[in-house]
Amino acid sequence: MQLNSRTAQGRDSETFPSGEAAGDTDLARQWARVRARMQSEIGEVEYRRWLRQAILQGVDGDEVTIVLPTKFLRDWVNKEYGAMLTGLWQAENSGIRRVDIRARPMSRGEADGSLAEKAPVLAIDQGGGPRREPDDRADSAPPLDVRFTFETFVVGKPNEFAYACARRVADGQAPSSFNPLFLYGGVGLGKTHLMHAIAWELSRHSANSVTVAYMSAEKFMHRFISALRKQSTIEFKNQLRSVDVLMIDDLQFLIGKDGTQEEFFHTFNALVDAGKQIIVSADKSPSDLSGIEDRLRTRLSCGMVADVHATTYELRLAILEAKAARAGADVPGKVQEFLAQKITSNVRELEGALNRLIAHAHLFNRKITVETAHEVLHDLLRAYDRKITIEDIQKHVAEHFNIRVSEMSSARRARNIARPRQIAMYLAKQLTTRSLPEIGRKFGNRDHTTVMHAVKQVSMLAEKDSAFSEDVELLRRSLMI
Ligand code: ADP
Ligand code: MG
C-alpha cells in the first residue's frame, strides 16, 4: 500500500501535506477525478448517499483498494457501481486492473454499540446461515444477500400472493392490515429471499433513510441472552425499538424458548404500537406453530398471513430458465425440463443441481445435455427416483428401535413402542405424499389427529433434543438412499 487513508480521505484529498511522495499525490488526484466523474455520472443525490464516505486506502500492484464504512455500503457499491468504478479507474490510470471495495473493519465496541446510525438498511444476520456462538456475532454478521432481490425472484402461482404482499410492504405504503406480514412455507421456497428483497427495496426507494433490522430468530435469541449476561437488556430493547422495520426470519426457532419469546412479544407490541412494520417468516402458519404462546400467535395472525406453496413444474422451469440465463450458461430446454420434472423438493435443491451442472460443464469444457445431467446428478436423482413407502418406513424404524414391525399397528401405548411409532408417522408424512388419514390407516387404523399429534410431537422433541433430532435425521437419510 502506498497511501494511507488520511491523505486521500474525503473531499480534502487534493490538499496534501508537503513532502508526500509524488506517486501518492498522483493517485490521490486520480481518485479525486474518479470521484468527480462518478458524481456526474450517477448524480449528486446517489453519490452522496453511497459514495461520499468512500476512502482510497491505497494501491497494490494493479489493484486499488477503496474502503467504505459499512458492509452494507460495500455490498451496495460493489453491486451497483463496482463495474463503473473499475472503468473510471482504468480510464485514469491504465496500470489499474481491479478495484477492491472493502468495508472498514469494525471495532467490537462499534459493532455491539448501535444497530444502525447512517446505513439505511441494517442486516444483522442472514437466514439459514451456520450456527454461531453469541459472542462471535460482531465480526461475522453477514450483510443482506445481494442476489436476493425482487428482480431475481421468479413469480408463479405458488408464490404470487406472498410476492405481492412483500412488494406492497417494500413500497413503504402498506396499510396497517399488512402489519405484521407473516410469510410461511417449507424450506428452500424463497422466504428469506423475499425478506432480503424487501430490505433492499426499502433502502433503494425511501426518500428518508429507513432503518431495517433483519435477523434470524436464532440470532435474536443469542443477542437477547448475551444482553442478559452483560446486563445490557435496556440497551438491547432500545436498539430494537428504534428501528422502522423489524424482520425476524425462521420464527419457529423460538418454539420452547419462553424467555426469548416473551421478549420478542414485547418488542413486537412496542413496534406495532409505534406504527412500525414487522415482517416474520416461519415454516408454518401461526395457527400451526405449536409451542408458541397464544397471545403471540394471536398477534402474529392479525396482520397479513401469506404462504409460499411448494413449487409447481411451471415455476421450476421458469426458475431454471432465469437462473441459467443469469449465469450465462447454455442449458438446453430439454435439460431444464428434465430437472424441473425430477427435482421437485424445493428451489434450493433445484438451484444446487443447476449449479453443479454448470460447474461441471465449465470444468470439463463439456456441453450440458440430458446425459451429462444424469451422470453429474446421479446421486441426487436416485434419491428422487426411489419411491419410499409407508411399509419401508415402518420396517426401517422398527429395526432401528429393535421392535417388531407389527407393533407399528398395535394398540400398545408403552413409550418404547409409541415413540418409534410416532417417528415412523412423522417420517411417513415427510417422505411420502400420503395424507394424514391415509397414514393413520396404515398404523392400525388410527385417526388422522393421532398422526397430526405424532408429527407435532416429533418436531417439538427434535427442536429440544439434539440427540433425538440426529436420530430422526439419520433414519430419514438412510431411507433416502
Ligand atoms: P427459505 O428461506 O424459504 O428456506 P430461501 O429464500 O433461502 O428459502 O431460498 C432458497 C434458494 O432458492 C435461494 O437461493 C433463493 O434465491 C432461491 N429461490 C427461492 N424461491 C425463488 C424464486 N421464486 N425465484 C428465484 N429464486 C428463488
Ligand atoms: Mg430462510
Side-chain angles (χ1 to χ4, degrees):
M1 293 280 165
Q2 295 172 17
L3 209 74
N4 64 41
S5 60
R6 181 181 56 82
T7 52
Q9 189 159 2
R11 284 163 182 268
D12 302 327
S13 55
E14 262 147 322
T15 55
F16 297 105
S18 55
E20 187 125 16
D24 290 358
T25 313
D26 281 351
L27 261 185
R29 284 193 200 292
Q30 287 162 7
W31 174 225
R33 277 197 296 272
V34 167
R35 283 187 296 125
R37 295 269 309 271
M38 213 56 212
Q39 208 165 340
S40 66
E41 290 279 339
I42 67 175
E44 176 70 18
V45 175
E46 289 289 294
Y47 177 85
R48 286 186 69 83
R49 191 153 170 196
W50 305 114
L51 285 154
R52 191 169 47 96
Q53 301 180 68
I55 290 168
L56 174 63
Q57 191 175 330
V59 67
D60 195 357
D62 60 358
E63 184 173 271
V64 161
T65 303
I66 284 166
V67 177
L68 284 151
T70 64
K71 289 180 182 169
F72 167 75
L73 282 171
R74 173 199 65 192
D75 289 327
W76 187 271
V77 168
N78 240 325
K79 175 166 165 266
E80 298 291 319
Y81 304 122
M84 195 186 277
L85 271 172
T86 311
L88 290 175
W89 263 108
Q90 284 169 348
E92 279 300 326
N93 180 339
S94 56
I96 302 293
R97 286 262 166 276
R98 283 190 304 272
V99 178
D100 178 24
I101 301 168
R102 293 190 192 166
R104 176 161 56 91
M106 274 192 278
S107 67
R108 182 162 291 265
E110 217 176 348
D112 279 350
S114 84
L115 277 177
E117 275 189 342
K118 298 207 180 60
V121 173
L122 175 81
I124 295 175
D125 178 31
Q126 194 169 15
R131 251 160 214 258
R132 277 178 224 103
E133 289 310 307
D135 280 327
D136 194 13
R137 72 186 186 281
D139 325 291
S140 57
L144 295 171
D145 193 314
V146 289
R147 296 163 308 169
F148 292 178
T149 63
F150 283 124
E151 288 70 39
T152 58
F153 191 82
V154 181
V155 187
K157 268 261 170 292
N159 59 26
E160 63 186 3
F161 183 64
Y163 172 82
C165 293
R167 272 281 186 194
R168 203 58 206 276
V169 169
D171 287 349
Q173 314 277 319
S176 61
S177 58
F178 279 71
N179 201 11
L181 172 61
F182 189 99
L183 297 170
Y184 77 92
V187 293
L189 297 179
K191 301 180 298 295
T192 298
H193 188 135
L194 281 176
M195 288 174 109
H196 286 208
I198 296 172
W200 284 119
E201 196 68 12
L202 281 169
S203 76
R204 194 178 337 199
H205 292 306
S206 45
N208 304 313
S209 59
V210 174
T211 319
V212 181
Y214 166 88
M215 64 184 111
S216 64
E218 188 181 6
K219 179 71 68 166
F220 180 90
M221 186 187 77
H222 286 327
R223 290 189 55 124
F224 176 54
I225 290 174
S226 154
L228 283 176
R229 205 186 308 127
K230 292 185 194 151
Q231 302 187 320
S232 59
T233 45
I234 298 196
E235 248 176 282
F236 175 74
K237 285 178 211 276
N238 288 342
Q239 283 176 359
L240 279 178
R241 286 167 203 194
S242 69
V243 304
D244 299 307
V245 181
L246 175 65
M247 300 187 183
I248 300 287
D249 207 352
D250 290 321
L251 188 83
Q252 70 273 5
F253 185 80
L254 293 193
I255 287 173
K257 320 274 189 329
D258 294 346
T260 312
Q261 233 182 79
E262 166 125 10
E263 183 57 33
F264 174 65
F265 179 72
H266 292 308
T267 308
F268 183 104
N269 286 337
L271 285 171
V272 171
D273 289 347
K276 307 296 178 61
Q277 177 76 46
I278 311 257
I279 304 166
V280 171
S281 86
D283 63 349
K284 298 193 192 66
S285 72
S287 52
D288 286 339
L289 273 178
S290 59
I292 288 278
E293 262 188 83
D294 278 342
R295 55 181 188 168
L296 178 56
R297 186 199 316 283
T298 310
R299 296 235 55 177
L300 288 170
S301 325
C302 69
M304 187 58 72
V305 178
D307 55 348
V308 189
H309 297 275
T311 56
T312 57
Y313 174 72
E314 288 73 27
L315 179 60
R316 291 195 292 277
L317 207 54
I319 288 173
L320 285 168
E321 208 176 328
K323 299 217 183 262
R326 198 163 270 276
D330 182 17
V331 183
K334 281 259 171 292
V335 175
Q336 292 181 16
E337 285 162 21
F338 173 72
L339 294 180
Q341 247 158 26
K342 291 285 183 184
I343 300 172
T344 51
S345 55
N346 64 49
V347 184
R348 189 173 293 135
E349 287 214 347
L350 193 65
E351 209 174 19
L354 181 70
N355 289 342
R356 261 167 75 182
L357 267 188
I358 295 176
H360 180 271
H362 275 306
L363 201 61
F364 296 103
N365 202 11
R366 283 173 70 183
K367 276 200 163 29
I368 297 175
T369 63
V370 176
E371 286 69 44
T372 56
H374 266 293
E375 197 184 304
V376 177
L377 304 173
H378 66 99
D379 52 335
L380 192 66
L381 295 170
R382 201 177 52 202
Y384 281 96
D385 277 343
R386 226 178 96 73
K387 280 261 173 296
I388 299 168
T389 64
I390 294 182
E391 286 75 15
D392 287 339
I393 296 172
Q394 291 178 330
K395 187 162 164 281
H396 213 78
V397 175
E399 265 168 23
H400 182 86
F401 288 100
N402 214 3
I403 60 173
R404 275 201 288 275
V405 182
S406 60
E407 301 287 16
M408 288 287 160
S409 314
S410 76
R412 284 185 59 192
R413 290 174 170 216
R415 171 169 298 199
N416 65 331
I417 306 284
R419 188 69 85 216
R421 193 187 291 133
Q422 285 185 323
I423 292 174
M425 288 180 184
Y426 169 87
L427 289 170
K429 181 77 195 92
Q430 275 217 331
L431 302 177
T432 73
T433 52
R434 299 311 183 93
S435 66
L436 295 174
E438 280 174 313
I439 296 172
R441 276 198 291 280
K442 297 263 187 185
F443 284 84
N445 261 331
R446 287 180 157 80
D447 194 65
H448 77 277
T449 52
T450 308
V451 183
M452 201 150 72
H453 176 72
V455 172
K456 282 187 184 167
Q457 193 73 20
V458 173
S459 321
M460 214 159 72
L461 281 171
E463 282 279 343
K464 284 194 182 139
D465 178 348
S466 59
F468 178 84
S469 149
E470 271 165 31
D471 228 23
V472 175
E473 181 56 25
L474 208 72
L475 273 166
R476 195 179 72 83
R477 288 221 193 119
S478 60
L479 276 159
M480 306 269 297
I481 298 169

